Amino acid sequence: MDAHLNRTKGPRVASDSAAGSPTQGSVYFQNLDGLRFIAFLLVFIHHMPIKWNPVLAVVHNDGYVGVELFFVISSFLLTHLLVMETRKSPTGTISVKNFFLRRVLRIWPLYFGFVLAMVVRGAVHGGGVDWAHVISLSTFTENLWTALKGYTTSIPDVAHLWTISLEEQYYLILPFVVPVLLRFSKRVLAVGGAVVIGVFMLNRLIAVIFSMPHPFIWVLPIQGDAFVLGTMLGLGVFDSFLQRVPTWAKFAAAIACLGYTVYLPYIGTGGYPDVIRYTFLAVGFLALMVAVLNSRNKVIDAVFGNRAVRYLGKISYGLYVFHELAISVAVGHIEPALTRAMGSDGWLFGSVFFLIVFALTLAVSALSYEVYEKRFLKLKQRFTAITSRPI
């Protein structure tokens, strides 16, 4: 995989080894930022109250899949960077401490700042604090809480943060396993990855047999096929195979796999489709990501790699964290005024409301990134072994 820093065209994936050369010290897959924004947009549309546009209504129903795209992207990129760091090191090791410091400086400032604000907001308007829920958020076990209790509103606008807990649990093991996994052949890694996904599927089957209600499977690590495949791609497991697959075939595979999940019963209905749903989503988004990164098509680069979209991808973490709050505020305070002015029916009202909520989310996220998050990202650079996306 070509890991050279390239700010004008997306670097080709699977043209060399997954780790890049041992002497490379920087990597930037700019089209990944465009995919990050697409992932956020899917989730945003999923959470928006949309009844006015039949096309967006389809995306609204299945936009939850954007979370899986986030998982594929982050697992691939973090694994790739750790592989590069391992091969760059004379001792073939990585600094686990620095890895955790980088993750802390990227995730924690915004996450805990937002959680604290929502706890205060809930205490002021709700009359109390659900301390058990605060503990689950603070210890990154929110996904476990959600699996057992379901989505809760005891603290406002944090129900979507279970994904951060799941990612943090993945981060907890990644730096320990990557140096170990690099000792094995790609064939062994392929078999091992297939076994792990098989174990996940077996656990999902058991959950279905015992009629565990949604979102039990959805929020637990047993849905983690996307993490497994993203990690395998970062390790270079698929490189030799992907070299032989044309870009159009990767797009076709992505459309087939993701299209199939659209025809499955809605995720909230549970049942046996949940056994295979996450595997098809992981394969589909992996194929899409590789196709986008591998493409030298000017249209694709213009869509995913232009400056505006890349910036939206750069602040996608904030967009994700803040969007539920923006929707809540808009529904409570903006929608009534807009309804009085325009009425509540029709595409014009829906379009204006959608754009207002998106603009509000964008404004808060950009302000957070430029004024608050950048301070920690600059500090994060002190602990960086492989330079990635520019701040």
Side-chain angles (χ1 to χ4, degrees):
M1 195 166 354
D2 189 345
H4 294 288
L5 185 65
N6 187 332
R7 301 190 184 190
T8 58
K9 280 187 176 290
R12 291 183 62 79
V13 175
S15 60
D16 296 310
S17 72
S21 76
T23 59
Q24 290 173 330
S26 63
V27 58
Y28 177 37
F29 300 102
Q30 67 171 26
N31 283 1
L32 279 188
D33 283 333
L35 278 176
R36 281 192 181 96
F37 173 64
I38 296 300
F40 160 73
L41 192 60
L42 288 169
V43 176
F44 180 74
I45 295 173
H46 178 62
H47 288 151
M48 280 288 293
I50 293 176
K51 303 176 182 177
W52 44 274
N53 186 306
V55 176
L56 287 183
V58 175
V59 182
H60 169 73
N61 191 59
D62 293 291
Y64 69 90
V65 300
V67 169
E68 299 299 308
L69 179 53
F70 272 127
F71 292 161
V72 169
I73 292 172
S74 62
S75 58
F76 156 68
L77 184 57
L78 289 174
T79 302
H80 179 75
L81 292 172
L82 286 176
V83 169
M84 289 185 67
E85 181 179 348
T86 302
R87 294 188 172 174
K88 181 183 178 182
S89 167
T91 60
T93 59
I94 61 174
S95 172
V96 175
K97 180 187 74 172
N98 285 351
F99 173 83
F100 287 136
L101 284 172
R102 292 194 298 269
R103 291 295 86 204
V104 165
L105 290 168
R106 182 64 191 106
I107 302 298
W108 288 23
L110 177 57
Y111 177 84
F112 282 110
F114 181 77
V115 168
L116 177 61
M118 293 303 99
V119 170
V120 172
R121 179 171 172 237
V124 171
H125 296 287
V129 175
D130 184 344
W131 288 109
H133 195 187
V134 171
I135 292 172
S136 74
L137 287 163
S138 301
T139 57
F140 296 107
T141 55
E142 173 68 1
N143 61 323
L144 307 181
W145 170 279
T146 304
L148 297 175
K149 300 286 187 178
Y151 299 113
T152 177
T153 57
S154 61
I155 300 174
D157 302 318
V158 298
H160 61 304
L161 297 186
W162 66 266
T163 61
I164 308 299
S165 292
L166 188 55
E167 290 216 43
E168 287 286 312
Q169 291 157 19
Y170 170 74
Y171 301 154
L172 195 60
I173 65 172
L174 186 65
F176 297 102
V177 301
V178 166
V180 175
L181 293 176
L182 284 174
R183 300 172 187 171
F184 296 95
S185 69
K186 293 180 181 180
R187 177 172 295 182
V188 171
L189 292 177
V191 172
V195 169
V196 173
I197 290 177
V199 171
F200 284 167
M201 294 178 72
L202 178 61
N203 278 272
R204 295 197 293 264
L205 176 61
I206 293 171
V208 168
I209 291 173
F210 283 91
S211 301
M212 301 304 295
H214 183 75
F216 184 85
I217 294 175
W218 170 232
V219 299
L220 290 179
I222 60 174
Q223 68 105 309
D225 300 30
F227 290 111
V228 176
L229 290 185
T231 301
M232 292 170 71
L233 181 66
L235 290 167
V237 173
F238 307 123
D239 285 357
S240 60
F241 169 73
L242 292 174
Q243 287 176 345
R244 301 191 297 269
V245 180
T247 298
W248 68 264
K250 299 182 182 95
F251 277 116
I255 292 171
C257 291
L258 299 176
Y260 176 70
T261 64
V262 172
Y263 287 97
L264 292 176
Y266 181 64
I267 187 173
T269 60
Y272 290 100
D274 280 348
V275 177
I276 60 172
R277 181 190 311 274
Y278 302 100
T279 307
F280 277 90
L281 287 173
V283 173
F285 280 129
L286 187 79
L288 175 64
M289 183 177 71
V290 172
V292 168
L293 294 183
N294 244 2
S295 174
R296 290 183 175 176
N297 184 285
K298 292 183 179 180
V299 174
I300 292 174
D301 283 344
V303 171
F304 293 98
N306 73 78
R307 182 174 298 180
V309 172
R310 281 191 284 120
Y311 182 76
L312 292 172
K314 184 183 292 189
I315 65 171
S316 59
Y317 177 43
L319 291 171
Y320 182 79
V321 168
F322 289 118
H323 80 278
E324 285 276 32
L325 174 61
I327 293 172
S328 175
V329 169
V331 168
H333 300 283
I334 298 176
E335 186 177 21
L338 196 63
T339 300
R340 289 193 295 270
M342 303 179 60
S344 60
D345 296 322
W347 66 269
L348 181 59
F349 168 84
S351 299
V352 171
F353 183 67
F354 181 91
L355 291 175
I356 288 174
V357 179
F358 180 79
L360 179 60
T361 307
L362 175 59
V364 175
S365 302
L367 182 64
S368 169
Y369 183 82
E370 297 295 339
V371 176
Y372 179 57
E373 296 170 61
K374 268 189 176 181
R375 298 174 182 269
F376 299 97
L377 292 176
K378 291 176 181 178
L379 181 60
K380 171 176 170 278
Q381 288 183 324
R382 299 182 185 180
F383 308 100
T384 297
I386 305 295
T387 303
S388 185
R389 180 179 60 198
I391 297 176

